Amino acid sequence: MNGAQALIRTLVDARVDVCFSNPGTSEMHFVAALDQVPEMRGVLCLFEGVATGAADGYGRMTGRPASVLLHLGPGLANGLANLHNARRARTPIVTVVGDHAGYHKAYDSPLESDIDALAGTVSGWVRRSARSADIGDDAAAAVAAARTAPGQIATLVLPADTSWSAGAASAAPLPVEAPAAVPDDALAAVAAVLASGEPCALLVGGGATRTRGLVAASRVAAAAGAPLFCETFPARLERGAGRPVVERLPRAADQVTRRLAGVRHLVLVGVRSPVSFFAYPDQPSDLVPDGCQVHELGTVADDLPGALERLADLVGAPAEAVLQPAGRPELPTGELSLDSIGRILGALLPEGAIVVDEGVTSTRQMPGPTAGAPPHDWLTLTGGAIGQGLPVATGAAVAAPGRPVICLEGDGSAMYTVSALWTQAREGLDVTTLVFSNRSYRILEGELANVGAAASGPRARDLLELGRPELDFAAMATGMGVPATRARTAEDLIQQFRRALAEPGPHLIDVVLPGP
Amino acid sequence: MNGAQALIRTLVDARVDVCFSNPGTSEMHFVAALDQVPEMRGVLCLFEGVATGAADGYGRMTGRPASVLLHLGPGLANGLANLHNARRARTPIVTVVGDHAGYHKAYDSPLESDIDALAGTVSGWVRRSARSADIGDDAAAAVAAARTAPGQIATLVLPADTSWSAGAASAAPLPVEAPAAVPDDALAAVAAVLASGEPCALLVGGGATRTRGLVAASRVAAAAGAPLFCETFPARLERGAGRPVVERLPRAADQVTRRLAGVRHLVLVGVRSPVSFFAYPDQPSDLVPDGCQVHELGTVADDLPGALERLADLVGAPAEAVLQPAGRPELPTGELSLDSIGRILGALLPEGAIVVDEGVTSTRQMPGPTAGAPPHDWLTLTGGAIGQGLPVATGAAVAAPGRPVICLEGDGSAMYTVSALWTQAREGLDVTTLVFSNRSYRILEGELANVGAAASGPRARDLLELGRPELDFAAMATGMGVPATRARTAEDLIQQFRRALAEPGPHLIDVVLPGP
């Protein structure tokens, strides 16, 4: 078998059986091999940033890596921003970057560039597979690296001659180590802090934002009389009726400071100490209050749910977590606002929904009205690189075919990777996208003031303005095969959202927000 | 003045007075400063790859750098593919990448990443401007670096605190060295080769593909009885009626070999020795025929038109170049084909047109029927990273407001950076885009066979197929404010192309090619 066949066979045997692809000439043997190893599902994306974002969404929902097939340095470059987000989400991904044949690189033909330098910026593991005889072992190592707790990006650079040469063999999956147990003395130290009687707070992230970890964290928090927060941008937060109550730490620095005021001990579980998203003149970067001590319960690579359960026992926590009661808001009528949209979402969110949230300024009020909706997952923009929502929704839908995916998308962000809609149409994915059209980079209008650049005039404001000309997302979606409508009132949105949820396949609703 | 103001003032004083922008929070002071230095024109792009491609088009047409404003590592990553193309085109560009405030980087907030590693892959010059007191000098140095012959990407990393801190001052432009003269002995050596009586060929590229260089090259070639080729993918080729006749070297390796068969001396002028675009099993990478010697007339950084003129004198060349006679094809009727589209283009191409060619497989036959059209420029995909056409057309139109821009675009490539259409609408740019909808990555269908992967089946072919669902470019363009039509016959295209050329502002024609 040739290298490409051995690679795909090895991936499939390790349960990496989806490949989000945008191939070029150097990857043609990989493409051809898809007919020899039909267990691998190739999903075509029209831009590499869609492929990498889809792999992120897939990995968040399955816990297993998808593979991504990219074309040389420029293809990897196009995929980097969503790999950056995936790195922050600690999503396992096997990135395969095709390269020129080894002997061809010295000729510096037009597509030659420094793939290794690019790969290093987002990958926890990089290897160049120099010979077809090595590709099986290299692929098995890549999967194992991607799956190493807490999950990371493993990049395998695949020269074309490695791919096309014979003499390759597939390799068996390598064992993946279970996450490490947190040592007893670390647990005891945190237990002592929680028993001190001083004001404490818990901040959980990483693998502790799933139900098992949250139940234990909620019990611990109850025992200590401490508030329970989760990180601002969780990769996957399990929430809704019957699940533990947890508050996402706000993004805005001043709001974080207010929420943590008076806390003397901040216990971190799979998350780093809170810092400001950006620096602002004369504002602190470190958001831990003065006089507050920070305690870390293990690292993000540890078995955090297990550690939290042991900690709950140590502190004599109640058996039950504080669970969210079921409850949906009343459906609103009349003019659309962020408040009424939140209530519509809360009223109609289907059970088992996967909500992909890249609403930026438009979705900050959504957690409240959706808290009591049936159990669902909430996936956020982990790395701040916009253009993540549509691709992650695409990958999540591939990962969880029985579950409805709701993508909450800002208009500015949607334009980064809008061709994800085409892949949704092609694959018949059950994704309902709500684009919040406020016709601006609204977040930057606020940031212009936050950084003290308030002396700005019309030329500055014009650079944050998306309404000239107006973006018609319904037209664009239709042009890519996704049925689309436009909602200007609550009644519009309710009717269109219900219909989109009821029908199979992708839909887009252009939610036109009133002007400022 | 603060750092941002000093930066923009310095750029403007050095005649860098356009900034293709997609800013974020860390760039808000730069944005605010646009109202203090109104000579800088900010052009908003909805994706960084559009901004960098536009800067490439601008630089190719003016010979001066535009600036680009990008948001941290992910913003730079999104712009890298078109910076790769610009690097291959040797376009001068000043890339400004906003970064976190210096003291904030240690906190590893979500958008932190290795900007310097990314910048190094495409830039000839990189500097981090650590203090507002330095920014004026750093900006002046960046412009001088970008303008250093033959032109390159200069990347200035701009921490937010450098941008917002006071105590900055603008700096005067630095002198830019003229390109070096080719030494007499190098000229004499090439002259001797050309006088040897053995079969010679000239291959010109870089700055020698403009009229002055081509006139001299044509005279030299005539004196030596040698064919005159230019590089396969020139950054800017001046051609048309009354300009020197030159043949672009084909892209396909076997065709290059055929064209160069029998040549004993290949004289390179501002271009590297021809190599295969990709490696193919059992095919050579080096396309110079056996027994052919390669001679280099100076480097791409030298004064190549001057050297060619001196060489023409040395070899006693005729005073006149071989010029292309005026002549346009007859307008075709009936079904569209690549042949009939070429004839329509040749018949209607307006004088002074700027043709941006990312037609991939669809435009290979265009040079013939357009050769005798009125003088025009032809800009090609220099680095092979698709998604270049719409952005380069956008920047070329900003650079040359009096000239019609014709963008020849493949359907697969168009989807990479389609939001460039919105910027064209916003700026009222006179760009007519023809999207060649063949509903496939047609080039890859050929490459699948070229690499010997002919054993492919339906799953492989499905990954090269863009017709499921159909992409409706007219709908997408309309959704971004660009008037659009769809042409299915020669009569459609003639009527729609004429109307698009007659009306101001951007237009798009979705040219639907018949199925295979």
Side-chain angles (χ1 to χ4, degrees):
Chain A
M1 75 176 53
N2 69 23
Q5 292 158 353
L7 168 57
I8 301 180
R9 169 54 59 200
T10 304
L11 292 177
V12 162
D13 288 349
R15 296 186 65 212
V16 179
D17 52 11
V18 170
C19 183
F20 297 99
S21 310
N22 189 279
T25 298
S26 38
E27 293 75 53
M28 282 301 100
H29 283 85
F30 187 110
V31 170
L34 291 174
D35 283 289
Q36 271 82 54
V37 192
E39 299 93 325
M40 177 66 85
R41 174 178 177 187
V43 177
L44 180 58
C45 302
L46 298 185
F47 179 70
E48 291 86 353
V50 175
T52 54
D56 185 12
Y58 181 95
R60 294 193 201 187
M61 292 312 301
T62 62
R64 286 184 288 120
S67 57
V68 179
L69 181 64
L70 306 174
H71 183 46
L72 295 135
L76 174 58
N78 285 331
L80 279 179
N82 273 332
L83 289 176
H84 168 87
N85 290 324
R87 181 174 80 88
R88 292 294 184 186
R90 304 193 182 83
T91 306
I93 296 177
V94 175
T95 304
V96 179
V97 184
D99 195 6
H100 288 305
Y103 62 84
H104 191 70
K105 290 181 74 66
Y107 293 96
D108 194 33
S109 63
L111 276 162
E112 176 64 25
S113 70
D114 189 346
I115 293 174
D116 304 79
L118 299 178
T121 65
V122 291
S123 311
W125 183 98
V126 182
R127 188 178 294 179
R128 180 174 284 276
S129 199
R131 304 181 315 150
S132 64
D134 300 333
I135 186 69
D137 290 340
D138 290 341
V143 176
R147 298 194 67 162
T148 298
Q152 61 183 352
I153 295 163
T155 298
L156 187 62
V157 181
L158 179 67
D161 50 345
T162 300
S163 194
W164 76 48
S165 296
S170 66
L174 295 175
V176 177
E177 274 186 49
V182 171
D184 285 334
D185 55 352
L187 289 177
V190 170
V193 165
L194 294 172
S196 68
E198 293 191 311
C200 297
L202 253 73
L203 175 60
V204 303
T209 63
R210 308 283 293 281
T211 302
R212 186 182 153 210
L214 289 172
V215 164
S218 176
R219 293 169 55 214
V220 169
L228 172 61
F229 299 103
C230 80
E231 58 191 328
T232 308
F233 295 108
R236 180 180 174 189
L237 175 63
E238 291 186 330
R239 66 193 295 271
R243 284 180 170 165
V245 174
V246 59
E247 180 185 346
R248 276 170 64 191
L249 209 61
R251 176 184 179 280
D254 57 340
Q255 291 177 36
V256 174
T257 308
R258 268 203 296 280
R259 297 300 291 124
L260 297 182
V263 171
R264 303 299 303 272
H265 299 281
L266 180 61
V267 176
L268 305 177
V269 185
V271 65
R272 299 179 60 167
S273 189
V275 300
S276 183
F277 201 91
F278 289 106
Y280 302 95
D282 307 320
Q283 300 292 323
S285 292
D286 181 351
L287 302 182
V288 177
D290 287 342
C292 175
Q293 290 182 49
V294 173
H295 311 270
E296 201 174 346
L297 180 79
T299 76
V300 73
D302 292 336
D303 172 18
L304 298 174
L308 284 163
E309 287 171 350
R310 290 159 59 209
L311 181 62
D313 291 343
L314 269 184
V315 299
E320 299 294 329
V322 179
L323 301 182
Q324 173 69 44
R328 291 186 184 267
E330 293 283 306
L331 280 170
T333 59
E335 192 171 71
L336 280 175
S337 65
L338 296 182
D339 176 66
S340 67
I341 295 167
R343 282 185 284 147
I344 292 169
L345 198 65
L348 301 181
L349 198 67
E351 178 152 6
I354 301 166
V355 179
V356 176
D357 177 2
E358 195 184 33
V360 196
T361 53
S362 295
T363 50
R364 290 188 183 157
Q365 302 172 40
M366 304 286 167
T370 57
H376 58 274
D377 285 346
W378 204 277
L379 280 54
T380 75
L381 176 55
T382 47
I386 61 172
Q388 172 260 21
L390 296 171
V392 164
T394 304
V398 169
R403 298 178 59 177
V405 177
I406 317 295
C407 181
L408 308 177
E409 188 59 271
D411 47 4
S413 302
M415 290 305 292
Y416 267 57
T417 45
V418 72
S419 74
L421 294 170
W422 182 85
T423 298
Q424 293 176 9
R426 180 178 170 96
E427 300 289 330
L429 302 177
D430 190 15
V431 180
T432 299
T433 300
L434 307 187
V435 176
F436 301 113
S437 292
N438 60 20
R439 296 170 295 282
S440 70
Y441 289 119
R442 181 64 50 83
I443 190 170
L444 295 181
E445 295 174 0
E447 293 291 58
L448 198 57
N450 288 344
V451 299
S456 58
R459 293 163 53 82
R461 286 196 299 274
D462 191 52
L463 268 196
L464 311 181
E465 155 68 49
L466 302 180
R468 181 171 63 79
E470 193 170 321
L471 289 160
D472 180 345
F473 284 96
M476 286 185 265
T478 306
M480 287 180 270
V482 171
T485 52
R486 181 169 265 207
R488 295 183 183 277
T489 65
E491 289 81 355
D492 286 352
L493 181 56
I494 292 165
Q495 183 256 328
Q496 293 169 18
F497 192 39
R498 280 186 165 140
R499 186 166 148 194
L501 293 173
E503 290 178 359
H507 294 78
L508 181 140
I509 305 171
D510 190 359
V511 183
V512 183
L513 294 166
Chain B
M1 81 177 45
N2 69 24
Q5 292 158 354
L7 168 57
I8 300 181
R9 169 54 58 198
T10 303
L11 292 176
V12 162
D13 288 349
R15 296 186 65 210
V16 178
D17 52 12
V18 170
C19 184
F20 297 100
S21 310
N22 190 278
T25 298
S26 38
E27 293 75 52
M28 281 301 101
H29 283 85
F30 187 110
V31 170
L34 291 174
D35 283 288
Q36 272 82 54
V37 191
E39 299 93 326
M40 177 65 86
R41 175 179 177 186
V43 177
L44 179 59
C45 302
L46 297 186
F47 180 69
E48 291 86 353
V50 176
T52 54
D56 185 12
Y58 180 94
R60 293 193 202 187
M61 291 311 301
T62 62
R64 287 183 288 121
S67 56
V68 180
L69 180 64
L70 306 173
H71 183 46
L72 296 133
L76 174 58
N78 285 331
L80 279 179
N82 273 332
L83 289 176
H84 169 87
N85 290 324
R87 180 174 81 88
R88 292 292 184 187
R90 303 192 182 84
T91 307
I93 296 177
V94 175
T95 304
V96 179
V97 184
D99 195 6
H100 289 304
Y103 62 83
H104 190 71
K105 291 181 73 67
Y107 294 97
D108 194 34
S109 62
L111 276 162
E112 176 65 24
S113 70
D114 189 346
I115 293 173
D116 305 78
L118 299 177
T121 64
V122 292
S123 311
W125 182 99
V126 182
R127 188 177 295 179
R128 180 174 283 276
S129 200
R131 304 183 315 150
S132 64
D134 299 334
I135 185 71
D137 289 340
D138 290 341
V143 176
R147 299 194 67 163
T148 298
Q152 61 183 351
I153 295 163
T155 298
L156 187 62
V157 182
L158 179 66
D161 50 346
T162 300
S163 194
W164 75 50
S165 297
S170 67
L174 295 175
V176 177
E177 274 184 50
V182 172
D184 285 334
D185 56 351
L187 288 176
V190 171
V193 165
L194 294 172
S196 68
E198 294 192 309
C200 298
L202 254 72
L203 176 60
V204 302
T209 63
R210 309 281 295 279
T211 301
R212 186 182 153 210
L214 290 172
V215 165
S218 176
R219 293 169 55 214
V220 168
L228 172 61
F229 299 103
C230 80
E231 58 190 329
T232 309
F233 295 108
R236 179 180 174 189
L237 175 64
E238 291 186 330
R239 66 193 294 272
R243 285 181 168 164
V245 174
V246 58
E247 181 186 344
R248 276 170 64 189
L249 209 62
R251 176 184 179 281
D254 56 341
Q255 291 177 36
V256 175
T257 308
R258 269 203 296 279
R259 297 300 292 124
L260 298 182
V263 171
R264 302 299 302 271
H265 299 281
L266 179 62
V267 176
L268 304 177
V269 185
V271 65
R272 299 178 61 167
S273 189
V275 300
S276 182
F277 201 92
F278 289 105
Y280 302 95
D282 307 319
Q283 300 292 322
S285 293
D286 181 350
L287 302 181
V288 176
D290 286 343
C292 175
Q293 290 182 49
V294 173
H295 311 270
E296 201 175 347
L297 181 77
T299 76
V300 73
D302 292 336
D303 172 19
L304 298 174
L308 284 163
E309 287 171 351
R310 290 158 59 207
L311 181 61
D313 290 345
L314 270 183
V315 299
E320 299 295 329
V322 179
L323 301 182
Q324 173 69 45
R328 291 185 183 267
E330 293 283 306
L331 280 170
T333 58
E335 193 172 71
L336 280 175
S337 65
L338 296 181
D339 176 66
S340 67
I341 295 168
R343 282 186 283 146
I344 292 169
L345 197 65
L348 301 181
L349 198 67
E351 177 152 7
I354 301 165
V355 179
V356 176
D357 177 2
E358 195 184 34
V360 195
T361 53
S362 295
T363 51
R364 290 188 184 156
Q365 302 172 40
M366 304 287 166
T370 57
H376 58 273
D377 286 346
W378 204 279
L379 280 53
T380 76
L381 176 55
T382 46
I386 62 172
Q388 173 259 19
L390 297 171
V392 164
T394 303
V398 169
R403 298 178 60 177
V405 177
I406 317 294
C407 181
L408 308 177
E409 187 61 89
D411 48 3
S413 301
M415 289 305 292
Y416 268 57
T417 45
V418 72
S419 75
L421 294 170
W422 181 84
T423 298
Q424 293 176 11
R426 180 179 170 97
E427 300 288 330
L429 302 177
D430 191 15
V431 181
T432 300
T433 300
L434 308 187
V435 176
F436 301 113
S437 293
N438 60 20
R439 297 170 294 283
S440 70
Y441 289 118
R442 181 65 49 84
I443 190 169
L444 297 182
E445 295 174 359
E447 293 289 58
L448 198 57
N450 288 343
V451 299
S456 58
R459 294 163 52 83
R461 285 196 298 275
D462 190 52
L463 268 195
L464 312 180
E465 154 69 49
L466 303 180
R468 182 169 61 79
E470 194 169 321
L471 289 161
D472 179 345
F473 284 96
M476 286 185 265
T478 306
M480 287 180 271
V482 171
T485 53
R486 179 169 267 208
R488 295 182 182 278
T489 65
E491 289 81 355
D492 286 352
L493 181 56
I494 291 164
Q495 183 256 330
Q496 293 168 18
F497 191 39
R498 279 187 165 140
R499 184 165 151 197
L501 293 173
E503 290 178 358
H507 295 78
L508 181 140
I509 304 171
D510 189 359
V511 182
V512 182
L513 294 166

